[in-house]
Amino acid sequence: MKKSICLYFQVHQPLRLRLYRFFDIGKDSHYYDDFTNRTILSRVAEKCYLPANAMLEELIKANKGRFKVAFSISGSALEQFDRYAPKVIASFKRLADTGCVEFLSETYYHSLAALGSEQEFKHQVEKHAQAIEYYFGVKPVTFRNTELIYSDSISAMVYELGFKTMLSEGARHILAWKSPNFVYNSCLQPKLKLLLRNYTLSDDIAFRFSDKGWNEHPLTAEKYISWVKNALSTDDIVNIFMDYETFGEHQKASSGIFDFFKAFVNQVLYENSIEFVTPAQATKKHSSVGDIEATDPVSWADEERDISAWLGNDLQNDAFGKLYDLIENLSIANDEGLWSDFGHLSESDHLYYMCTKFFSDGAVHSYFNPYDTPYEAFINYMNVLSDFSLRVKEKVKLK
């Protein structure tokens, strides 16, 4: 049996908040920076989504369907594609029509609902599945939680929702001596198969590809394939998971990232000893080799591979707690507009901007942060949340 490579790309764009001052509370309930959202979405569409989708479509057709890949596209991104870049939706539909692309399920708003409210988590997963079926005509069968966050308790919720395959991070502290290059299963739900990210091989492309200070720079397709083959010499599958914005946005086109990826795919398929599989195909092809236990949540972020990037300080925990404390009143109010704003305020990005980890992973956090300091992010978010809370209370009174 051939060894396998599973490629998965995350596509997400948050709805960024405008500068919202204390004096706006109770007077202006438009929270979003429409100009910035449109500008960034349009830029990334031109640099990444459109050329990268064209590249994948070309690879699928040229290799007669032997090249396969998976995407998870947040509902927040889909809404903005509809609003600002409908060509991107059309290009993803063409990929869907090839039959070689699997679209994964996730929380609609790229949220931490799995850690805040089981009720809201299930709602967002169902809402996202409906959106994927609406746009691409397929029902997701594989689950990928926001930021690959996984724990035993989350696996139980995911299995209850009907999924048999889930993606997560191959974190050392849950794997111990084990390799990430096998299929595993949840210790609570043995029928839920797990695919774990090989973070070394994934980050070689996502973070280190254009780093001239890296001792392996420049990264060639031949060199990278040799590393993949070495990993598969005794193991079953290499899971390469990364942000889709790696292509053309984080790694500029001038770095050679597109040419590298095409050469990598074509050479793998030419040698014919390894095949590309989607996550659903991977867990059908390869049997589980054992349980994975994760009492505490793991993620794909930072060196710690935990949730401290989002819930690692008092600012973040205060904002998170106050937002999810509104769930009961939101249910009473039952207002579609309020639920939509709640969803966008639950996007994990807002908490990420409040991160105070300035050491080993500070540079990564700075790249993705539109605020000068985490405290500015917190103040702006809490001003918005104060206005939102007033609207919820007012709606409940009217009920």
Side-chain angles (χ1 to χ4, degrees):
M1 183 170 64
K2 291 182 182 179
K3 300 300 179 73
S4 303
I5 295 174
C6 181
L7 288 169
Y8 144 72
F9 299 119
Q10 170 62 39
V11 180
H12 171 60
Q13 289 294 330
L15 216 55
R16 297 162 188 84
L17 303 176
R18 70 177 179 89
L19 179 59
Y20 195 90
R21 302 182 188 280
F22 174 80
F23 298 103
D24 292 325
I25 299 171
K27 296 177 181 177
D28 187 347
S29 297
H30 183 71
Y31 307 137
Y32 312 110
D33 189 338
D34 298 328
F35 176 78
T36 298
N37 288 322
R38 182 191 307 112
T39 301
I40 293 176
L41 197 283
S42 300
R43 184 194 74 209
V44 181
E46 291 302 319
K47 287 187 173 182
C48 170
Y49 303 137
L50 292 172
N53 281 0
M55 174 182 70
L56 297 186
E57 188 177 2
E58 177 189 327
L59 285 168
I60 290 169
K61 290 179 178 177
N63 291 288
K64 299 179 180 178
R66 292 191 299 141
F67 174 62
K68 296 178 176 66
V69 68
F71 284 100
S72 186
I73 310 175
S74 72
S76 298
L78 288 169
E79 287 181 7
Q80 292 184 73
F81 292 155
D82 249 351
R83 195 174 302 142
Y84 305 128
K87 287 183 180 178
V88 174
I89 292 283
S91 66
F92 275 116
K93 284 181 177 176
R94 289 195 298 274
L95 287 176
D97 290 341
T98 66
C100 296
V101 176
E102 182 181 356
F103 290 89
L104 311 184
S105 176
E106 66 162 280
T107 56
Y108 185 91
Y109 295 103
H110 196 77
S111 74
L112 303 184
L115 305 173
S117 165
E118 183 173 353
Q119 168 196 341
E120 177 62 11
F121 174 69
K122 290 181 177 179
H123 166 72
Q124 288 196 23
V125 172
E126 290 166 358
K127 182 180 176 71
H128 184 263
Q130 290 168 5
I132 294 301
E133 199 160 6
Y134 170 78
Y135 282 106
F136 308 118
V138 292
K139 184 177 180 180
V141 296
T142 299
F143 188 76
R144 183 224 71 109
N145 198 21
T146 306
E147 312 295 353
L148 291 187
I149 292 173
Y150 174 85
S151 69
D152 297 337
S153 59
I154 292 173
S155 76
M157 290 192 291
V158 170
Y159 183 76
E160 189 178 323
L161 284 166
F163 296 100
K164 301 296 175 60
T165 301
M166 184 173 177
L167 275 53
S168 189
E169 173 70 11
R172 289 179 184 174
H173 61 278
I174 63 167
L175 279 171
W177 53 269
K178 299 173 185 175
S179 165
N181 306 323
F182 291 98
V183 172
Y184 292 92
N185 60 266
S186 161
C187 65
L188 287 187
Q189 296 291 348
K191 291 183 180 179
L192 180 68
K193 302 292 181 63
L194 303 176
L195 295 175
L196 304 182
R197 175 177 178 258
N198 183 311
Y199 63 80
T200 301
L201 288 171
S202 299
D203 290 349
D204 285 340
I205 299 176
F207 292 114
R208 291 182 280 272
F209 182 79
S210 60
D211 181 3
K212 294 182 179 178
W214 182 33
N215 62 353
E216 295 292 351
H217 186 273
L219 181 60
T220 64
E222 292 76 18
K223 184 189 295 186
Y224 190 72
I225 289 171
S226 71
W227 297 344
V228 171
K229 283 183 174 179
N230 184 60
L232 291 173
S233 60
T234 55
D235 299 355
D236 289 344
I237 182 170
V238 165
N239 300 307
I240 302 170
F241 303 162
M242 68 188 82
D243 286 334
Y244 199 34
E245 294 80 11
T246 296
F247 298 99
E249 176 66 11
H250 304 160
Q251 307 294 342
K252 307 303 180 187
S254 58
S255 70
I257 187 71
F258 288 95
D259 292 334
F260 160 81
F261 189 77
K262 285 187 282 188
F264 162 64
V265 170
N266 286 324
Q267 190 167 329
V268 167
L269 293 174
Y270 175 77
E271 293 187 11
N272 208 33
S273 59
I274 305 170
E275 65 180 354
F276 290 97
V277 293
T278 64
Q281 290 172 332
T283 53
K284 286 181 180 177
K285 176 182 175 182
H286 300 286
S287 299
S288 169
V289 297
D291 295 345
I292 290 293
E293 183 176 354
T295 307
D296 298 316
V298 298
S299 79
W300 70 353
D302 302 340
E303 290 185 359
E304 296 87 353
R305 315 289 174 186
D306 59 14
I307 58 171
S308 60
W310 305 275
L311 296 173
N313 63 41
D314 290 340
L315 304 178
Q316 294 167 315
N317 282 291
D318 187 32
F320 183 76
K322 282 184 167 57
L323 178 68
Y324 279 89
D325 282 346
L326 296 171
I327 288 280
E328 185 176 346
N329 278 339
L330 275 165
S331 299
I332 296 170
N334 195 28
D335 181 271
E336 188 176 340
L338 288 175
W339 275 118
S340 177
D341 281 338
F342 173 86
H344 287 299
L345 291 175
S346 75
E347 290 168 352
S348 66
D349 309 74
H350 304 305
L351 295 171
Y352 192 82
Y353 302 149
M354 302 174 200
C355 185
T356 51
K357 294 166 69 174
F358 294 118
F359 300 101
S360 59
D361 302 293
V364 175
H365 286 269
S366 296
Y367 179 88
F368 292 105
N369 199 335
Y371 298 93
D372 291 333
T373 71
Y375 307 99
E376 288 181 20
F378 173 74
I379 291 167
N380 200 64
Y381 183 84
M382 295 306 285
N383 284 342
V384 169
L385 191 57
S386 294
D387 182 84
F388 180 70
S389 299
L390 289 175
R391 290 169 57 209
V392 173
K393 290 175 184 176
E394 192 62 35
K395 192 72 176 180
V396 170
K397 285 181 184 176
L398 293 174
K399 288 284 182 178

